Amino acid sequence: MIESEIERRWWKEAVVYQIYPRSFNDTDGDGVGDLPGIVEKVDYLDDLGIDVVWLNPVYESPNADNGYDVSDYRAIMDEFGGMADWEELLDELHERDMRLIMDLVVNHTSDEHEWFVRSREDDPEYGEFYWWREGVDSGGVEWTSEEGPDGEAPPNGWQSIFGGPAWAYDETREAWYLHLFDRKQPDLHWRNPAVREAIYEMMEWWLEKGIDGFRLDAIAHLGKEEGLPTDLDEPMNGTMKHAGNDPRVHEYLTEMNERVLSRELLTVGEVGTSTVPDEDAHAYLDHERDGLSMLVHFEHVNIDREDSIYEPGEWTLPELKSVLDRWDGLTEEEGWVAQYLSNHDQPRQVSRFGSETYRRESAKLLGTLLHTLRGTPFVYQGEELGMTNYPWTSLSEFEDVATRNPVERAIERGDVESFEEVREAVAAESRDNGRTPVQWTDGENAGFTDGEPWIGINPDKETVNAAAAREDPDSVWHYYRELISLRSDDEVGDLIVYGEYEQLTPEHESLWIYTRTFEGERLLVALNFSDGRTTIDLPTNAVDAGATADLLLANYAIEGAVTAVGDLADLVLRPWEARVYHVDAE
Ligand code: NOJ
C-alpha cells in the first residue's frame, strides 16, 4: 500500500478504553461506581496512553438493563453523580488530550421515559413513538404468555433477544408494544419522523457539550420490516431477520449523518452479525453515507455460542482466524473495525480465548493480537490487568437480565432441572463476568468501594490488581502500555495502524502468524495459542528468509533481539508466547 492510498484518520490511530461506570470506581460508598470515581482515575488512563474513553450509558435509567434503558437522555443517573461531575470528567479528559464518546441508545428507551409514558396514553404527540400493535386471535395456537386478554395472542411470535416474547401487553393502551430486548425497553418507532427529530436534537445537545463521538447501540435494529409478519411460530433468528437490517436503516443513518454526525467524530456502530450478513456489511462501512467510522461486529465473539446461554460452546483457532481475516478483507478497501475480544457483554478474554493457567502470558498475547491487527483496539476496563472470569456458584449471584431470564425460563419450562445442571456453561458465558468491579488493590473490595459492591468481586484480586501491576515491570499493565505506545511510534506507528494484513497460518490449530506491510516495512507477528510448546512453521516464501528481523516486543525474555527471518522457522514457542518482529522487507 502506498502513502497516497491510505486514508488517515485520527480515530484509526487511536486506542479506545471502554468504561463500564457501574464497575469502575466508587467514591461515595454506595457500592456502585460513579463519575467522580472516573475523574479520580483519569491520570491512570493517561499513564496507560489511552486516546479515547467510551463511556457506557450514564443517563437517568431505572436500570433494568444497566443503563441501556434510558428514562432521560439529558440527565445523569443519580447513582453516577450529576451533570457537573460529567462536565468535570470531560474537562479532565480534554485537558490531557483524551477524547470522550458517549453511548447512544436509540433503538429503544426505558418504559419509564416520558415519551413512553405519554405514548401508552395515546397522547397525540407521542402516540406513534413506539411499535404499538393489536393482538391476534390465538386461534388454537398454544400461546404460553399469560398476559393479554383471553384468547388473544401477541401480533406475532417474535422472541426477545433476552428471552421470552418480544411483545408485552399494556393495560393502559390496551395494545401490545414491541421490545426486542427487555420488556422495560420498548422499541422506538424510527419510521416516525418525529422520533428521528427528537433523537437528532438530543444528539446535537450532547455534541454541543463538547463530546467527540458516539458508540451507537444495536444500530441495525433501527430498520424493521414492513408489515410485521404475523406468524406466531416465528423463531428467534426470524426475529433478527425481520427486526433488523431493513434497508431503511441506511436512510435513517444517512439522515442522521447529514443532520448531526458530519464533523470529525468517532462513531462506532454496534452491528450484530446474526442481523447483518457479510454482503450487507459494506453498506454500514460506507463512512461518507452512514457516517459510521467503524463497526463493532460480533462474529468472532459468537463462534463459541449456541442458541442459549446454558449450552456449552467450543471454539477453535482456525475459526477465530477465519472470521477476523474475513473482516479484514471486508474492510480492505473501505471501512474500519473495532478490534476487541471483551466488553461489558462478554466474558473476560483471558478465561475465554486465553488460559487461566498462563494468565499473564495469554493476557499479553491477546493484547498483542488486538493491537497488531488492522483496526482500532478497544481495551475493556480490567483487560490491561489480565482480569479473569468470576467463580460463580449460584444463579442469585448474577445481576444480568440476559443471564437470569433465559435460565429462569428454562427451569420453569422444565428444559433444565436446576442451575447446577448448567452452572458451568452459564458461568463461562455470562456477561456479568465482564461486569465485576475493576480490581485496584488487594485490599477490601479490591479498592473499588468502601460499601457493599453491587456485584461480586473476583477473589483473585489478591494477585490481580492495578497497584501490584504498576509496581511489577513484567505485568500485563506495563506490556499494554508498551503496545499502546507503539501506535504512535515514529518508526512503526504507520505500519501498525495502516499496514496491509496477511495471514500466514490459516489452518494451524495453535499458531497464528501474520504480517503487516507498509511502504517496504513489515511486521511479523507470531502467536502460540496453547498451553504447550509449538514449533514455528513459517511458509518459506512468506517473507524473505534473509531479511533482518528486529524484535519489537515479546511476552517472554528473549536472548538475541536481532535475527534473520529464516532463523525463525523451527523456533519453538513457549506456552502463549507472543513475538512481534520488525522486518526490513526491501
Ligand atoms: C448492546 C449493549 O452492549 C448491551 O449491553 C445492551 O443490553 C443491548 N445493546 C441493549 O441495549
Side-chain angles (χ1 to χ4, degrees):
M1 195 175 290
I2 48 170
E3 171 84 20
S4 59
E5 285 172 357
I6 65 166
E7 206 196 347
R8 290 181 180 274
R9 297 280 188 161
W10 70 265
W11 37 259
K12 293 183 179 173
E13 297 171 12
V15 173
V16 178
Y17 188 92
Q18 182 194 345
I19 294 187
Y20 194 67
R22 249 190 134 58
S23 303
F24 193 66
N25 184 30
D26 174 29
T27 54
D28 62 2
D30 65 354
V32 170
D34 45 42
L35 290 165
I38 306 176
V39 171
E40 217 173 75
K41 301 291 182 187
V42 166
D43 281 331
Y44 169 89
L45 302 173
D46 198 21
D47 287 350
L48 195 56
I50 295 306
D51 303 294
V52 180
V53 168
W54 151 28
L55 213 52
N56 280 108
V58 291
Y59 319 101
E60 200 171 283
S61 159
N63 273 319
D65 185 22
N66 288 359
Y68 282 95
D69 47 323
V70 180
S71 53
D72 185 348
Y73 289 104
R74 298 176 203 220
I76 300 289
M77 193 188 301
D78 278 350
E79 283 174 316
F80 291 165
M83 195 54 85
D85 299 309
W86 181 88
E87 279 160 3
E88 187 183 351
L89 173 62
L90 182 71
D91 288 348
E92 294 287 337
L93 289 170
H94 280 174
E95 243 169 57
R96 291 165 182 78
D97 286 331
M98 283 186 269
R99 312 195 202 210
L100 178 68
I101 65 170
M102 296 288 278
D103 219 307
L104 184 75
V105 192
V106 291
N107 173 66
H108 43 267
T109 65
S110 161
D111 64 345
E112 296 181 33
H113 193 291
E114 197 201 338
W115 296 340
F116 189 77
V117 173
R118 293 173 67 174
S119 194
R120 65 153 49 119
E121 281 157 7
D122 210 2
D123 173 298
E125 207 177 322
Y126 295 97
E128 295 308 311
F129 259 50
Y130 296 86
W131 288 82
W132 292 103
R133 289 289 183 278
E134 297 302 315
V136 294
D137 186 339
S138 59
V141 175
E142 199 186 322
W143 174 247
T144 48
S145 165
E146 278 166 18
E147 58 188 305
D150 278 353
E152 188 173 316
N156 65 29
W158 284 2
Q159 295 293 299
S160 139
I161 292 164
F162 288 168
W167 296 95
Y169 186 74
D170 185 69
E171 303 280 348
T172 312
R173 178 138 168 179
E174 297 182 341
W176 301 76
Y177 66 85
L178 179 68
H179 62 90
L180 290 183
F181 295 90
D182 191 66
R183 60 180 298 134
K184 283 189 68 63
Q185 295 169 292
D187 281 50
L188 280 164
H189 195 247
W190 270 75
R191 290 190 204 167
N192 178 353
V195 168
R196 306 205 295 274
E197 243 2 90
I199 298 291
Y200 303 151
E201 263 174 41
M202 175 274 286
M203 291 172 77
E204 187 64 43
W205 188 83
W206 279 103
L207 287 166
E208 277 169 21
K209 281 186 158 296
I211 63 168
D212 305 288
F214 293 105
R215 175 262 189 193
L216 297 91
D217 186 63
I219 207 65
H221 290 294
L222 301 191
K224 297 179 178 72
E225 227 171 57
E226 191 76 67
L228 305 178
T230 52
D231 179 0
L232 280 179
D233 299 323
E234 184 83 65
M236 176 64 186
N237 54 9
T239 309
M240 302 299 262
K241 194 170 81 212
H242 299 297
N245 194 35
D246 181 87
R248 278 187 192 81
V249 65
H250 301 294
E251 285 170 32
Y252 307 151
L253 287 173
T254 306
E255 184 182 76
M256 181 190 284
N257 189 19
E258 284 164 6
R259 295 289 302 278
V260 279
L261 297 180
S262 46
R263 2 185 162 192
E264 256 314 289
L265 300 174
L266 166 54
T267 47
V268 189
E270 188 210 30
V271 171
T273 13
S274 37
T275 329
V276 181
D278 266 22
E279 57 275 22
D280 292 349
H282 268 290
Y284 294 86
L285 292 165
D286 182 343
H287 177 60
E288 297 313 318
R289 189 177 76 169
D290 281 10
L292 300 178
S293 319
M294 61 184 83
L295 290 189
V296 161
H297 71 86
F298 294 4
E299 207 178 334
H300 61 311
V301 290
N302 279 344
I303 58 175
D304 58 351
R305 288 293 185 254
E306 300 296 331
D307 284 345
S308 55
I309 187 168
Y310 43 83
E311 287 173 68
E314 308 250 304
W315 67 278
T316 66
L317 187 62
E319 263 177 293
L320 182 65
K321 289 188 275 197
S322 88
V323 170
L324 293 178
D325 290 357
R326 220 184 56 256
W327 275 91
D328 183 79
L330 281 172
T331 53
E332 210 165 9
E333 305 282 317
E334 181 174 50
W336 197 251
V337 284
Q339 296 292 2
Y340 75 99
L341 289 170
S342 44
N343 61 34
H344 65 294
D345 291 334
Q346 304 294 334
R348 291 282 171 185
Q349 66 195 41
V350 169
S351 305
R352 185 182 190 183
F353 295 110
S355 159
E356 289 185 5
T357 314
Y358 290 93
R359 187 190 64 83
R360 185 185 290 242
E361 293 78 3
S362 65
K364 292 179 181 178
L365 174 140
L366 296 172
T368 310
L369 174 72
L370 294 174
H371 288 255
T372 60
L373 285 175
R374 213 166 56 90
T376 296
F378 277 50
V379 180
Y380 178 59
Q381 63 183 39
E383 178 187 325
E384 76 280 17
L385 306 174
M387 279 178 63
T388 60
N389 282 354
Y390 183 88
W392 309 100
T393 54
S394 74
L395 190 57
S396 60
E397 285 172 313
F398 294 96
E399 297 287 341
D400 176 28
V401 273
T403 304
R404 295 176 73 132
N405 279 0
V407 179
E408 279 162 6
R409 279 172 200 279
I411 295 175
E412 262 163 45
R413 281 196 310 271
D415 291 355
V416 163
E417 218 167 84
S418 65
F419 172 68
E420 200 36 49
E421 187 189 318
V422 292
R423 193 194 60 79
E424 216 175 301
V426 176
E429 296 189 14
S430 174
R431 309 196 294 183
D432 275 344
N433 285 302
R435 300 176 179 189
T436 66
V438 173
Q439 294 154 207
W440 296 106
T441 68
D442 63 0
E444 205 178 340
N445 294 328
F448 161 71
T449 179
D450 293 335
E452 188 58 38
W454 72 279
I455 193 169
I457 288 183
N458 198 318
D460 72 6
K461 59 134 174 127
E462 298 299 333
T463 48
V464 182
N465 64 71
R470 294 194 64 174
E471 271 176 29
D472 173 3
D474 192 33
S475 67
V476 179
W477 195 87
H478 282 285
Y479 189 87
Y480 259 69
R481 192 166 187 244
E482 212 171 327
L483 273 173
I484 293 168
S485 73
L486 289 180
R487 232 174 155 71
S488 49
D489 184 271
D490 285 346
E491 228 181 293
V492 292
D494 275 353
L495 182 52
I496 288 185
V497 177
Y498 297 107
E500 205 171 301
Y501 165 86
E502 194 187 350
Q503 167 71 260
L504 302 186
T505 53
E507 306 296 341
H508 201 292
E509 294 293 331
S510 52
L511 266 187
W512 190 342
I513 305 183
Y514 52 93
T515 55
R516 301 284 311 282
T517 308
F518 183 76
E519 295 186 333
E521 304 261 339
R522 185 168 283 160
L523 278 191
L524 176 68
V525 182
L527 309 171
N528 175 21
F529 275 74
S530 88
D531 278 3
R533 292 172 174 254
T534 309
T535 306
I536 286 198
D537 184 3
L538 202 59
T540 43
N541 58 349
V543 231
D544 177 6
T548 314
D550 226 328
L551 188 71
L552 197 63
L553 194 68
N555 62 353
Y556 277 83
I558 289 168
E559 277 172 36
V562 183
T563 182
V565 170
D567 295 342
L568 295 176
D570 299 332
L571 190 86
V572 177
L573 289 183
R574 288 158 281 189
W576 298 94
E577 182 162 351
R579 297 188 184 200
V580 182
Y581 285 98
H582 185 191
V583 179
D584 184 356
E586 300 268 271

